[in-house]
């Protein structure tokens, strides 16, 4: 039980790190566009690169976990996230910025998939409860970046704040490296034949499509919020960062209350209500 608690804490630190990766580019996008003198198209391509890195990382984590276990994968993912965040902070040119964004997204995708799978494996109170608790820490990371930038920008530069955030990744990196993890599930490798059956599961593919679209909207809103407020609504940069933090805080609040609402209402009703609220919020912004 002690080891399960330790592993859960490691997973929480990991998903907090993923939250940082997920929100960093959107928080600094106005600064990046000004630093390199790029337009909306080039800025949007950076968000696409980040998402592409996350998708690739999310795809490869499964075979890596099955073959080599959680520990090596999470250590590797956290290490390249640190490299990517430092690259975003100090990239001397746009090509280097693109590489840094892709690297941080790839590491974040590995961490996201790996930490969720780890908690699903070790949860004794039920997977839903464990994953709901874990998801809250994503919110802490996502809210923390814009709040840190909004609070400290008067005294420090974007690069200095991001560099400090990246250096803080040494904490989950060290904790993961020093903690014993379960042995790999399939040391012989990933069964490709079994994967073909998953591609024939219509329910799995439907929910996969839904999550694909939801994640795309999540990235889009989180990526363009600060730019929208600063350019369209003429909001000061520090205030726009606070609004971005509120967006991620709302998502964290929803995840915190999900476990409680699932005990009282049917999942389909909750899903319909959340979609309705999301659409209403988007229309209100427009």
């Amino acid at each position: 039980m002690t080891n399960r608690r330790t592993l859960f804490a490691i997973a929480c630190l990991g998903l907090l790190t993923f939250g940082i990766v997920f929100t960093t580019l959107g928080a600094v996008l106005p600064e990046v566009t000004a630093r390199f003198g790029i337009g909306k198209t080039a800025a949007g391509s950076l968000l696409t690169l980040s998402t592409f890195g996350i998708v690739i990382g999310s795809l490869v984590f499964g075979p890596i976990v099955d073959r080599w276990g959680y520990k090596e994968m999470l250590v590797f993912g956290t290490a390249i996230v640190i490299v990517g965040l430092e690259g975003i902070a100090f990239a001397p040119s746009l090509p280097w910025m693109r590489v840094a964004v892709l690297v941080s997204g790839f590491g974040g995708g590995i961490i996201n998939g790996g930490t969720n799978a780890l908690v699903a494996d070790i949860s004794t109170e039920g997977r839903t409860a464990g994953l709901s608790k874990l998801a809250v820490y994503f919110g802490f990371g996502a809210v923390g970046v814009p709040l840190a930038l909004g609070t400290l920008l008067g005294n420090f530069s974007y690069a200095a704040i991001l560099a400090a955030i990246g250096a803080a990744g040494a904490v989950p990196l060290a904790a993961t490296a020093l903690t014993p993890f379960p042995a790999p599930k399939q040391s012989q490798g990933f069964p490709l034949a079994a994967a073909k059956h998953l591609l024939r599961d219509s329910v799995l593919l439907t929910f996969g499509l839904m999550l694909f679209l939801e994640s795309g909207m999540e990235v889009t809103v989180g990526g363009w919020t600060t730019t929208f407020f600063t350019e369209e609504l003429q909001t000061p940069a520090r205030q726009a960062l606070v609004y971005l933090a509120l967006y991620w805080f709302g998502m964290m609040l929803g995840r915190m209350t999900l476990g409680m609402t699932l005990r009282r209402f049917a999942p389909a009703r909750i899903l319909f209500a959340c979609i309705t609220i999301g659409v209403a919020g988007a229309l209100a912004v427009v």
Side-chain angles (χ1 to χ4, degrees):
M1 179 60 68
T2 301
N3 193 43
R4 284 199 188 101
R5 290 172 179 167
T6 303
L7 290 174
F8 183 77
I10 296 295
C12 290
L13 283 174
L15 203 63
L16 186 149
T17 303
F18 175 63
I20 291 173
V21 171
F22 210 72
T23 194
T24 291
L25 184 58
V28 302
L29 196 60
E31 166 67 15
V32 170
T33 56
R35 190 201 314 178
F36 297 112
I38 58 177
K40 297 290 189 302
T41 302
S45 69
L46 291 175
L47 293 172
T48 302
L49 276 175
S50 177
T51 306
F52 180 72
I54 291 172
V55 170
I56 297 301
S58 299
L59 288 174
V60 304
F61 91 88
I64 294 175
V65 166
D66 289 342
R67 184 67 183 272
W68 289 288
Y70 287 104
K71 182 172 184 174
E72 289 76 8
M73 178 205 63
L74 291 176
V75 167
F76 173 71
T78 306
I80 63 173
V81 160
I82 295 172
V83 172
L85 291 176
E86 297 297 333
I88 293 173
F90 298 113
S93 63
L94 187 58
W96 280 107
M97 175 63 74
R98 289 177 177 139
V99 172
V101 166
L102 182 63
V103 166
S104 64
F106 179 66
I110 290 176
I111 293 172
N112 181 42
T115 53
N116 278 277
L118 175 61
V119 169
D121 281 347
I122 65 174
S123 293
T124 57
E125 300 176 358
R127 293 185 177 183
T128 301
L131 292 173
S132 295
K133 293 176 183 177
L134 176 68
V136 174
Y137 287 85
F138 168 86
F140 287 139
V143 171
V145 171
L147 280 183
L149 288 169
T151 303
L152 300 174
L153 267 181
N155 301 313
F156 302 95
S157 66
Y158 273 95
I161 299 170
L162 281 183
I165 292 172
V171 174
L173 179 65
T176 305
L178 296 173
T179 301
F181 276 74
K185 294 180 181 179
Q186 299 171 188
S187 58
Q188 75 275 14
F190 180 68
L192 294 177
K196 296 179 182 178
H197 297 291
L198 296 177
L199 297 177
R200 301 191 185 104
D201 190 331
S202 59
V203 175
L204 178 65
L205 293 176
T206 300
F207 276 94
L209 177 61
M210 291 174 62
L211 289 172
F212 172 78
L213 295 173
E214 186 279 331
S215 296
M217 290 185 285
E218 195 173 303
V219 171
T220 302
V221 175
W224 288 107
T225 293
T226 50
T227 302
F228 174 77
F229 274 104
T230 54
E231 295 189 3
E232 299 297 326
L233 303 181
Q234 305 301 312
T235 305
R238 295 176 68 176
Q239 191 173 342
L241 288 166
V242 173
Y243 292 146
L244 176 61
L246 287 175
Y247 165 71
W248 291 115
F249 178 75
M251 185 172 296
M252 182 176 68
L253 189 63
R255 290 177 175 178
M256 290 174 66
T257 59
L258 182 61
M260 184 190 345
T261 54
L262 281 172
R263 288 194 291 268
R264 300 185 59 185
F265 303 99
R269 292 181 63 184
I270 296 173
L271 181 61
F272 179 78
C274 290
I275 293 175
T276 302
I277 293 171
V279 171
L283 292 175
V285 172
V286 175

